[in-house]
PDB file of all heavy atoms in Angstrom:
ATOM      1  N   GLU A 153       0.852  -1.181   0.000  1.00  0.00           N
ATOM      2  CA  GLU A 153       0.000   0.000   0.000  1.00  0.00           C
ATOM      3  C   GLU A 153       0.888   1.231   0.000  1.00  0.00           C
ATOM      4  O   GLU A 153       1.820   1.323   0.806  1.00  0.00           O
ATOM      5  CB  GLU A 153      -0.909   0.023   1.224  1.00  0.00           C
ATOM      6  CG  GLU A 153      -1.936  -1.095   1.262  1.00  0.00           C
ATOM      7  CD  GLU A 153      -2.810  -1.061   2.504  1.00  0.00           C
ATOM      8  OE1 GLU A 153      -2.496  -0.264   3.425  1.00  0.00           O
ATOM      9  OE2 GLU A 153      -3.780  -1.828   2.572  1.00  0.00           O
ATOM     10  N   ILE A 154       0.614   2.181  -0.883  1.00  0.00           N
ATOM     11  CA  ILE A 154       1.460   3.360  -1.055  1.00  0.00           C
ATOM     12  C   ILE A 154       0.744   4.592  -0.516  1.00  0.00           C
ATOM     13  O   ILE A 154      -0.387   4.891  -0.895  1.00  0.00           O
ATOM     14  CB  ILE A 154       1.822   3.571  -2.537  1.00  0.00           C
ATOM     15  CG1 ILE A 154       2.545   2.340  -3.085  1.00  0.00           C
ATOM     16  CG2 ILE A 154       2.679   4.824  -2.713  1.00  0.00           C
ATOM     17  CD1 ILE A 154       2.828   2.408  -4.574  1.00  0.00           C
ATOM     18  N   ARG A 155       1.421   5.290   0.383  1.00  0.00           N
ATOM     19  CA  ARG A 155       0.957   6.567   0.893  1.00  0.00           C
ATOM     20  C   ARG A 155       2.144   7.510   0.902  1.00  0.00           C
ATOM     21  O   ARG A 155       3.291   7.065   0.886  1.00  0.00           O
ATOM     22  CB  ARG A 155       0.403   6.440   2.320  1.00  0.00           C
ATOM     23  CG  ARG A 155      -0.795   5.505   2.465  1.00  0.00           C
ATOM     24  CD  ARG A 155      -1.137   5.291   3.934  1.00  0.00           C
ATOM     25  NE  ARG A 155      -2.336   4.467   4.111  1.00  0.00           N
ATOM     26  CZ  ARG A 155      -2.354   3.146   4.116  1.00  0.00           C
ATOM     27  NH1 ARG A 155      -1.221   2.471   3.914  1.00  0.00           N
ATOM     28  NH2 ARG A 155      -3.483   2.470   4.293  1.00  0.00           N
ATOM     29  N   GLY A 156       1.887   8.794   0.971  1.00  0.00           N
ATOM     30  CA  GLY A 156       3.014   9.721   1.022  1.00  0.00           C
ATOM     31  C   GLY A 156       2.547  11.154   1.076  1.00  0.00           C
ATOM     32  O   GLY A 156       1.368  11.454   0.865  1.00  0.00           O
ATOM     33  N   THR A 157       3.481  12.044   1.377  1.00  0.00           N
ATOM     34  CA  THR A 157       3.170  13.463   1.374  1.00  0.00           C
ATOM     35  C   THR A 157       3.012  13.938  -0.067  1.00  0.00           C
ATOM     36  O   THR A 157       3.613  13.384  -0.997  1.00  0.00           O
ATOM     37  CB  THR A 157       4.274  14.263   2.079  1.00  0.00           C
ATOM     38  OG1 THR A 157       5.533  13.956   1.476  1.00  0.00           O
ATOM     39  CG2 THR A 157       4.344  13.916   3.562  1.00  0.00           C
ATOM     40  N   ALA A 158       2.195  14.965  -0.237  1.00  0.00           N
ATOM     41  CA  ALA A 158       1.838  15.436  -1.584  1.00  0.00           C
ATOM     42  C   ALA A 158       3.047  15.750  -2.457  1.00  0.00           C
ATOM     43  O   ALA A 158       3.064  15.383  -3.649  1.00  0.00           O
ATOM     44  CB  ALA A 158       0.910  16.647  -1.475  1.00  0.00           C
ATOM     45  N   PRO A 159       4.085  16.428  -1.956  1.00  0.00           N
ATOM     46  CA  PRO A 159       5.198  16.756  -2.851  1.00  0.00           C
ATOM     47  C   PRO A 159       5.877  15.526  -3.453  1.00  0.00           C
ATOM     48  O   PRO A 159       6.417  15.592  -4.555  1.00  0.00           O
ATOM     49  CB  PRO A 159       6.164  17.518  -1.931  1.00  0.00           C
ATOM     50  CG  PRO A 159       5.305  18.052  -0.822  1.00  0.00           C
ATOM     51  CD  PRO A 159       4.263  17.008  -0.613  1.00  0.00           C
ATOM     52  N   VAL A 160       5.834  14.390  -2.742  1.00  0.00           N
ATOM     53  CA  VAL A 160       6.499  13.191  -3.255  1.00  0.00           C
ATOM     54  C   VAL A 160       5.654  12.525  -4.334  1.00  0.00           C
ATOM     55  O   VAL A 160       6.154  12.170  -5.413  1.00  0.00           O
ATOM     56  CB  VAL A 160       6.777  12.194  -2.109  1.00  0.00           C
ATOM     57  CG1 VAL A 160       7.354  10.892  -2.669  1.00  0.00           C
ATOM     58  CG2 VAL A 160       7.744  12.800  -1.102  1.00  0.00           C
ATOM     59  N   LEU A 161       4.373  12.337  -4.081  1.00  0.00           N
ATOM     60  CA  LEU A 161       3.525  11.565  -4.987  1.00  0.00           C
ATOM     61  C   LEU A 161       2.843  12.391  -6.061  1.00  0.00           C
ATOM     62  O   LEU A 161       2.230  11.828  -6.976  1.00  0.00           O
ATOM     63  CB  LEU A 161       2.472  10.809  -4.171  1.00  0.00           C
ATOM     64  CG  LEU A 161       3.015   9.714  -3.249  1.00  0.00           C
ATOM     65  CD1 LEU A 161       1.886   9.039  -2.498  1.00  0.00           C
ATOM     66  CD2 LEU A 161       3.828   8.691  -4.030  1.00  0.00           C
ATOM     67  N   GLU A 162       2.951  13.704  -5.971  1.00  0.00           N
ATOM     68  CA  GLU A 162       2.304  14.563  -6.968  1.00  0.00           C
ATOM     69  C   GLU A 162       2.832  14.256  -8.373  1.00  0.00           C
ATOM     70  O   GLU A 162       4.034  14.291  -8.628  1.00  0.00           O
ATOM     71  CB  GLU A 162       2.543  16.034  -6.621  1.00  0.00           C
ATOM     72  CG  GLU A 162       1.781  17.005  -7.507  1.00  0.00           C
ATOM     73  CD  GLU A 162       1.955  18.445  -7.049  1.00  0.00           C
ATOM     74  OE1 GLU A 162       2.670  18.665  -6.051  1.00  0.00           O
ATOM     75  OE2 GLU A 162       1.387  19.326  -7.696  1.00  0.00           O
ATOM     76  N   GLY A 163       1.928  13.942  -9.281  1.00  0.00           N
ATOM     77  CA  GLY A 163       2.319  13.674 -10.664  1.00  0.00           C
ATOM     78  C   GLY A 163       2.813  12.275 -10.923  1.00  0.00           C
ATOM     79  O   GLY A 163       3.168  11.941 -12.065  1.00  0.00           O
ATOM     80  N   VAL A 164       2.856  11.420  -9.891  1.00  0.00           N
ATOM     81  CA  VAL A 164       3.331  10.046 -10.076  1.00  0.00           C
ATOM     82  C   VAL A 164       2.156   9.174 -10.519  1.00  0.00           C
ATOM     83  O   VAL A 164       1.103   9.147  -9.866  1.00  0.00           O
ATOM     84  CB  VAL A 164       3.942   9.494  -8.771  1.00  0.00           C
ATOM     85  CG1 VAL A 164       4.379   8.042  -8.962  1.00  0.00           C
ATOM     86  CG2 VAL A 164       5.125  10.348  -8.338  1.00  0.00           C
ATOM     87  N   ASP A 165       2.333   8.441 -11.601  1.00  0.00           N
ATOM     88  CA  ASP A 165       1.281   7.569 -12.121  1.00  0.00           C
ATOM     89  C   ASP A 165       1.340   6.225 -11.392  1.00  0.00           C
ATOM     90  O   ASP A 165       2.013   5.288 -11.823  1.00  0.00           O
ATOM     91  CB  ASP A 165       1.455   7.371 -13.626  1.00  0.00           C
ATOM     92  CG  ASP A 165       0.332   6.512 -14.225  1.00  0.00           C
ATOM     93  OD1 ASP A 165      -0.625   6.193 -13.487  1.00  0.00           O
ATOM     94  OD2 ASP A 165       0.426   6.169 -15.408  1.00  0.00           O
ATOM     95  N   LEU A 166       0.626   6.151 -10.285  1.00  0.00           N
ATOM     96  CA  LEU A 166       0.653   4.937  -9.477  1.00  0.00           C
ATOM     97  C   LEU A 166      -0.160   3.808 -10.104  1.00  0.00           C
ATOM     98  O   LEU A 166      -0.101   2.661  -9.633  1.00  0.00           O
ATOM     99  CB  LEU A 166       0.136   5.238  -8.071  1.00  0.00           C
ATOM    100  CG  LEU A 166       1.000   6.208  -7.242  1.00  0.00           C
ATOM    101  CD1 LEU A 166       0.337   6.490  -5.907  1.00  0.00           C
ATOM    102  CD2 LEU A 166       2.400   5.638  -7.029  1.00  0.00           C
ATOM    103  N   SER A 167      -0.910   4.111 -11.153  1.00  0.00           N
ATOM    104  CA  SER A 167      -1.668   3.064 -11.833  1.00  0.00           C
ATOM    105  C   SER A 167      -0.817   2.307 -12.846  1.00  0.00           C
ATOM    106  O   SER A 167      -1.236   1.270 -13.374  1.00  0.00           O
ATOM    107  CB  SER A 167      -2.888   3.666 -12.544  1.00  0.00           C
ATOM    108  OG  SER A 167      -2.476   4.540 -13.591  1.00  0.00           O
ATOM    109  N   ALA A 168       0.367   2.826 -13.118  1.00  0.00           N
ATOM    110  CA  ALA A 168       1.256   2.169 -14.072  1.00  0.00           C
ATOM    111  C   ALA A 168       1.756   0.843 -13.507  1.00  0.00           C
ATOM    112  O   ALA A 168       1.789   0.631 -12.299  1.00  0.00           O
ATOM    113  CB  ALA A 168       2.442   3.080 -14.402  1.00  0.00           C
ATOM    114  N   HIS A 169       2.180  -0.062 -14.394  1.00  0.00           N
ATOM    115  CA  HIS A 169       2.648  -1.368 -13.940  1.00  0.00           C
ATOM    116  C   HIS A 169       3.886  -1.249 -13.062  1.00  0.00           C
ATOM    117  O   HIS A 169       4.151  -2.106 -12.221  1.00  0.00           O
ATOM    118  CB  HIS A 169       2.940  -2.283 -15.143  1.00  0.00           C
ATOM    119  CG  HIS A 169       4.189  -1.920 -15.885  1.00  0.00           C
ATOM    120  ND1 HIS A 169       4.247  -0.888 -16.801  1.00  0.00           N
ATOM    121  CD2 HIS A 169       5.450  -2.439 -15.825  1.00  0.00           C
ATOM    122  CE1 HIS A 169       5.472  -0.792 -17.285  1.00  0.00           C
ATOM    123  NE2 HIS A 169       6.223  -1.717 -16.718  1.00  0.00           N
ATOM    124  N   ASP A 170       4.656  -0.169 -13.265  1.00  0.00           N
ATOM    125  CA  ASP A 170       5.852   0.078 -12.455  1.00  0.00           C
ATOM    126  C   ASP A 170       5.613   1.226 -11.479  1.00  0.00           C
ATOM    127  O   ASP A 170       6.519   1.994 -11.171  1.00  0.00           O
ATOM    128  CB  ASP A 170       7.059   0.355 -13.334  1.00  0.00           C
ATOM    129  CG  ASP A 170       6.852   1.548 -14.275  1.00  0.00           C
ATOM    130  OD1 ASP A 170       5.690   2.009 -14.405  1.00  0.00           O
ATOM    131  OD2 ASP A 170       7.845   2.007 -14.868  1.00  0.00           O
ATOM    132  N   GLY A 171       4.388   1.327 -10.977  1.00  0.00           N
ATOM    133  CA  GLY A 171       4.033   2.438 -10.095  1.00  0.00           C
ATOM    134  C   GLY A 171       4.882   2.506  -8.840  1.00  0.00           C
ATOM    135  O   GLY A 171       5.238   3.597  -8.378  1.00  0.00           O
ATOM    136  N   LEU A 172       5.233   1.347  -8.275  1.00  0.00           N
ATOM    137  CA  LEU A 172       6.074   1.346  -7.075  1.00  0.00           C
ATOM    138  C   LEU A 172       7.455   1.911  -7.385  1.00  0.00           C
ATOM    139  O   LEU A 172       7.989   2.728  -6.617  1.00  0.00           O
ATOM    140  CB  LEU A 172       6.180  -0.068  -6.508  1.00  0.00           C
ATOM    141  CG  LEU A 172       7.042  -0.248  -5.254  1.00  0.00           C
ATOM    142  CD1 LEU A 172       6.575   0.662  -4.124  1.00  0.00           C
ATOM    143  CD2 LEU A 172       7.035  -1.713  -4.804  1.00  0.00           C
ATOM    144  N   SER A 173       8.033   1.516  -8.498  1.00  0.00           N
ATOM    145  CA  SER A 173       9.334   2.059  -8.905  1.00  0.00           C
ATOM    146  C   SER A 173       9.260   3.566  -9.122  1.00  0.00           C
ATOM    147  O   SER A 173      10.172   4.315  -8.745  1.00  0.00           O
ATOM    148  CB  SER A 173       9.820   1.373 -10.184  1.00  0.00           C
ATOM    149  OG  SER A 173      10.104   0.015  -9.961  1.00  0.00           O
ATOM    150  N   LEU A 174       8.157   4.017  -9.723  1.00  0.00           N
ATOM    151  CA  LEU A 174       7.992   5.453  -9.963  1.00  0.00           C
ATOM    152  C   LEU A 174       7.891   6.220  -8.656  1.00  0.00           C
ATOM    153  O   LEU A 174       8.436   7.329  -8.532  1.00  0.00           O
ATOM    154  CB  LEU A 174       6.753   5.689 -10.820  1.00  0.00           C
ATOM    155  CG  LEU A 174       6.794   5.146 -12.256  1.00  0.00           C
ATOM    156  CD1 LEU A 174       5.448   5.320 -12.944  1.00  0.00           C
ATOM    157  CD2 LEU A 174       7.909   5.829 -13.050  1.00  0.00           C
ATOM    158  N   ALA A 175       7.196   5.643  -7.670  1.00  0.00           N
ATOM    159  CA  ALA A 175       7.090   6.306  -6.364  1.00  0.00           C
ATOM    160  C   ALA A 175       8.454   6.402  -5.693  1.00  0.00           C
ATOM    161  O   ALA A 175       8.807   7.431  -5.100  1.00  0.00           O
ATOM    162  CB  ALA A 175       6.107   5.548  -5.477  1.00  0.00           C
ATOM    163  N   LEU A 176       9.243   5.345  -5.789  1.00  0.00           N
ATOM    164  CA  LEU A 176      10.586   5.362  -5.205  1.00  0.00           C
ATOM    165  C   LEU A 176      11.486   6.359  -5.934  1.00  0.00           C
ATOM    166  O   LEU A 176      12.279   7.076  -5.302  1.00  0.00           O
ATOM    167  CB  LEU A 176      11.190   3.960  -5.256  1.00  0.00           C
ATOM    168  CG  LEU A 176      10.516   2.926  -4.343  1.00  0.00           C
ATOM    169  CD1 LEU A 176      10.932   1.517  -4.727  1.00  0.00           C
ATOM    170  CD2 LEU A 176      10.859   3.202  -2.881  1.00  0.00           C
ATOM    171  N   ASP A 177      11.362   6.419  -7.259  1.00  0.00           N
ATOM    172  CA  ASP A 177      12.138   7.398  -8.014  1.00  0.00           C
ATOM    173  C   ASP A 177      11.770   8.822  -7.599  1.00  0.00           C
ATOM    174  O   ASP A 177      12.643   9.693  -7.482  1.00  0.00           O
ATOM    175  CB  ASP A 177      11.886   7.231  -9.512  1.00  0.00           C
ATOM    176  CG  ASP A 177      12.540   5.984 -10.088  1.00  0.00           C
ATOM    177  OD1 ASP A 177      13.455   5.446  -9.439  1.00  0.00           O
ATOM    178  OD2 ASP A 177      12.119   5.543 -11.181  1.00  0.00           O
ATOM    179  N   ALA A 178      10.475   9.066  -7.366  1.00  0.00           N
ATOM    180  CA  ALA A 178      10.034  10.396  -6.945  1.00  0.00           C
ATOM    181  C   ALA A 178      10.590  10.750  -5.570  1.00  0.00           C
ATOM    182  O   ALA A 178      10.966  11.905  -5.319  1.00  0.00           O
ATOM    183  CB  ALA A 178       8.508  10.458  -6.927  1.00  0.00           C
ATOM    184  N   LEU A 179      10.658   9.760  -4.682  1.00  0.00           N
ATOM    185  CA  LEU A 179      11.239  10.015  -3.361  1.00  0.00           C
ATOM    186  C   LEU A 179      12.722  10.366  -3.482  1.00  0.00           C
ATOM    187  O   LEU A 179      13.202  11.323  -2.862  1.00  0.00           O
ATOM    188  CB  LEU A 179      11.058   8.792  -2.469  1.00  0.00           C
ATOM    189  CG  LEU A 179      11.639   8.916  -1.054  1.00  0.00           C
ATOM    190  CD1 LEU A 179      10.919   9.997  -0.257  1.00  0.00           C
ATOM    191  CD2 LEU A 179      11.563   7.573  -0.320  1.00  0.00           C
ATOM    192  N   LEU A 180      13.455   9.620  -4.296  1.00  0.00           N
ATOM    193  CA  LEU A 180      14.879   9.913  -4.485  1.00  0.00           C
ATOM    194  C   LEU A 180      15.067  11.302  -5.092  1.00  0.00           C
ATOM    195  O   LEU A 180      15.998  12.033  -4.714  1.00  0.00           O
ATOM    196  CB  LEU A 180      15.515   8.856  -5.387  1.00  0.00           C
ATOM    197  CG  LEU A 180      15.666   7.459  -4.772  1.00  0.00           C
ATOM    198  CD1 LEU A 180      16.045   6.446  -5.847  1.00  0.00           C
ATOM    199  CD2 LEU A 180      16.710   7.467  -3.661  1.00  0.00           C
ATOM    200  N   ALA A 181      14.185  11.685  -5.989  1.00  0.00           N
ATOM    201  CA  ALA A 181      14.296  13.003  -6.623  1.00  0.00           C
ATOM    202  C   ALA A 181      13.988  14.131  -5.640  1.00  0.00           C
ATOM    203  O   ALA A 181      14.373  15.279  -5.886  1.00  0.00           O
ATOM    204  CB  ALA A 181      13.343  13.085  -7.821  1.00  0.00           C
ATOM    205  N   SER A 182      13.308  13.805  -4.547  1.00  0.00           N
ATOM    206  CA  SER A 182      12.930  14.839  -3.580  1.00  0.00           C
ATOM    207  C   SER A 182      14.041  15.169  -2.587  1.00  0.00           C
ATOM    208  O   SER A 182      13.906  16.117  -1.808  1.00  0.00           O
ATOM    209  CB  SER A 182      11.689  14.390  -2.801  1.00  0.00           C
ATOM    210  OG  SER A 182      12.006  13.373  -1.857  1.00  0.00           O
ATOM    211  N   ILE A 183      15.131  14.405  -2.598  1.00  0.00           N
ATOM    212  CA  ILE A 183      16.225  14.666  -1.659  1.00  0.00           C
ATOM    213  C   ILE A 183      16.904  15.972  -2.057  1.00  0.00           C
ATOM    214  O   ILE A 183      17.354  16.124  -3.190  1.00  0.00           O
ATOM    215  CB  ILE A 183      17.260  13.520  -1.670  1.00  0.00           C
ATOM    216  CG1 ILE A 183      16.594  12.178  -1.401  1.00  0.00           C
ATOM    217  CG2 ILE A 183      18.349  13.786  -0.625  1.00  0.00           C
ATOM    218  CD1 ILE A 183      17.520  10.983  -1.568  1.00  0.00           C
ATOM    219  N   PRO A 184      17.003  16.931  -1.144  1.00  0.00           N
ATOM    220  CA  PRO A 184      17.609  18.223  -1.506  1.00  0.00           C
ATOM    221  C   PRO A 184      19.120  18.129  -1.605  1.00  0.00           C
ATOM    222  O   PRO A 184      19.728  17.122  -1.202  1.00  0.00           O
ATOM    223  CB  PRO A 184      17.183  19.135  -0.352  1.00  0.00           C
ATOM    224  CG  PRO A 184      16.942  18.221   0.795  1.00  0.00           C
ATOM    225  CD  PRO A 184      16.467  16.927   0.227  1.00  0.00           C
ATOM    226  N   PRO A 185      19.766  19.154  -2.143  1.00  0.00           N
ATOM    227  CA  PRO A 185      21.237  19.172  -2.193  1.00  0.00           C
ATOM    228  C   PRO A 185      21.834  18.953  -0.809  1.00  0.00           C
ATOM    229  O   PRO A 185      21.328  19.489   0.181  1.00  0.00           O
ATOM    230  CB  PRO A 185      21.544  20.571  -2.735  1.00  0.00           C
ATOM    231  CG  PRO A 185      20.320  20.959  -3.497  1.00  0.00           C
ATOM    232  CD  PRO A 185      19.166  20.347  -2.759  1.00  0.00           C
ATOM    233  N   ARG A 186      22.889  18.155  -0.728  1.00  0.00           N
ATOM    234  CA  ARG A 186      23.568  17.809   0.524  1.00  0.00           C
ATOM    235  C   ARG A 186      22.619  17.132   1.505  1.00  0.00           C
ATOM    236  O   ARG A 186      22.848  17.116   2.710  1.00  0.00           O
ATOM    237  CB  ARG A 186      24.220  19.032   1.176  1.00  0.00           C
ATOM    238  CG  ARG A 186      25.326  19.671   0.329  1.00  0.00           C
ATOM    239  CD  ARG A 186      26.070  20.749   1.112  1.00  0.00           C
ATOM    240  NE  ARG A 186      26.616  20.216   2.362  1.00  0.00           N
ATOM    241  CZ  ARG A 186      27.728  19.498   2.451  1.00  0.00           C
ATOM    242  NH1 ARG A 186      28.431  19.222   1.359  1.00  0.00           N
ATOM    243  NH2 ARG A 186      28.156  19.060   3.618  1.00  0.00           N
ATOM    244  N   GLY A 187      21.552  16.533   0.976  1.00  0.00           N
ATOM    245  CA  GLY A 187      20.571  15.875   1.821  1.00  0.00           C
ATOM    246  C   GLY A 187      20.853  14.399   1.997  1.00  0.00           C
ATOM    247  O   GLY A 187      21.908  13.876   1.636  1.00  0.00           O
ATOM    248  N   TYR A 188      19.863  13.708   2.548  1.00  0.00           N
ATOM    249  CA  TYR A 188      19.995  12.279   2.807  1.00  0.00           C
ATOM    250  C   TYR A 188      18.622  11.632   2.746  1.00  0.00           C
ATOM    251  O   TYR A 188      17.583  12.313   2.804  1.00  0.00           O
ATOM    252  CB  TYR A 188      20.629  12.028   4.183  1.00  0.00           C
ATOM    253  CG  TYR A 188      19.777  12.485   5.350  1.00  0.00           C
ATOM    254  CD1 TYR A 188      18.921  11.606   6.014  1.00  0.00           C
ATOM    255  CD2 TYR A 188      19.823  13.811   5.803  1.00  0.00           C
ATOM    256  CE1 TYR A 188      18.130  12.022   7.074  1.00  0.00           C
ATOM    257  CE2 TYR A 188      19.044  14.236   6.873  1.00  0.00           C
ATOM    258  CZ  TYR A 188      18.198  13.335   7.504  1.00  0.00           C
ATOM    259  OH  TYR A 188      17.418  13.756   8.555  1.00  0.00           O
ATOM    260  N   LEU A 189      18.613  10.312   2.631  1.00  0.00           N
ATOM    261  CA  LEU A 189      17.387   9.529   2.666  1.00  0.00           C
ATOM    262  C   LEU A 189      17.478   8.575   3.845  1.00  0.00           C
ATOM    263  O   LEU A 189      18.464   7.838   3.982  1.00  0.00           O
ATOM    264  CB  LEU A 189      17.216   8.732   1.370  1.00  0.00           C
ATOM    265  CG  LEU A 189      16.058   7.722   1.342  1.00  0.00           C
ATOM    266  CD1 LEU A 189      14.720   8.407   1.527  1.00  0.00           C
ATOM    267  CD2 LEU A 189      16.084   6.917   0.046  1.00  0.00           C
ATOM    268  N   ALA A 190      16.466   8.595   4.702  1.00  0.00           N
ATOM    269  CA  ALA A 190      16.414   7.695   5.855  1.00  0.00           C
ATOM    270  C   ALA A 190      15.333   6.654   5.635  1.00  0.00           C
ATOM    271  O   ALA A 190      14.172   6.992   5.391  1.00  0.00           O
ATOM    272  CB  ALA A 190      16.137   8.485   7.131  1.00  0.00           C
ATOM    273  N   VAL A 191      15.716   5.384   5.705  1.00  0.00           N
ATOM    274  CA  VAL A 191      14.764   4.278   5.640  1.00  0.00           C
ATOM    275  C   VAL A 191      14.437   3.861   7.064  1.00  0.00           C
ATOM    276  O   VAL A 191      15.343   3.572   7.859  1.00  0.00           O
ATOM    277  CB  VAL A 191      15.337   3.079   4.857  1.00  0.00           C
ATOM    278  CG1 VAL A 191      14.294   1.974   4.745  1.00  0.00           C
ATOM    279  CG2 VAL A 191      15.830   3.515   3.489  1.00  0.00           C
ATOM    280  N   MET A 192      13.147   3.832   7.410  1.00  0.00           N
ATOM    281  CA  MET A 192      12.714   3.555   8.776  1.00  0.00           C
ATOM    282  C   MET A 192      11.744   2.377   8.732  1.00  0.00           C
ATOM    283  O   MET A 192      10.623   2.508   8.245  1.00  0.00           O
ATOM    284  CB  MET A 192      12.023   4.789   9.361  1.00  0.00           C
ATOM    285  CG  MET A 192      12.837   6.075   9.186  1.00  0.00           C
ATOM    286  SD  MET A 192      11.902   7.573   9.589  1.00  0.00           S
ATOM    287  CE  MET A 192      10.610   7.538   8.340  1.00  0.00           C
ATOM    288  N   ALA A 193      12.175   1.223   9.229  1.00  0.00           N
ATOM    289  CA  ALA A 193      11.404  -0.011   9.085  1.00  0.00           C
ATOM    290  C   ALA A 193      10.800  -0.433  10.419  1.00  0.00           C
ATOM    291  O   ALA A 193      11.511  -0.906  11.309  1.00  0.00           O
ATOM    292  CB  ALA A 193      12.298  -1.118   8.535  1.00  0.00           C
TER     293      ALA A 193
END
C-alpha cells in the first residue's frame, strides 16, 4: 500500500505497472542538495 506526502507523490502515475518504482524514483528526486534519505522499518 502506497501513501506519502503530496510533494512526493504529486504527478506520479501509481496506476502504471511500475508504479512502485515510480514512487521510489520520486522520493529519491525529492532529496535536496547535501541531503539524505532515511529508511525507517
Side-chain angles (χ1 to χ4, degrees):
E153 294 179 351
I154 302 175
R155 299 172 176 85
T157 54
V160 175
L161 294 180
E162 186 175 0
V164 178
D165 183 7
L166 295 176
S167 65
H169 73 280
D170 58 348
L172 179 56
S173 293
L174 294 174
L176 292 165
D177 288 342
L179 179 65
L180 290 169
S182 74
I183 305 173
R186 297 188 56 79
Y188 65 95
L189 172 61
V191 183
M192 310 169 296

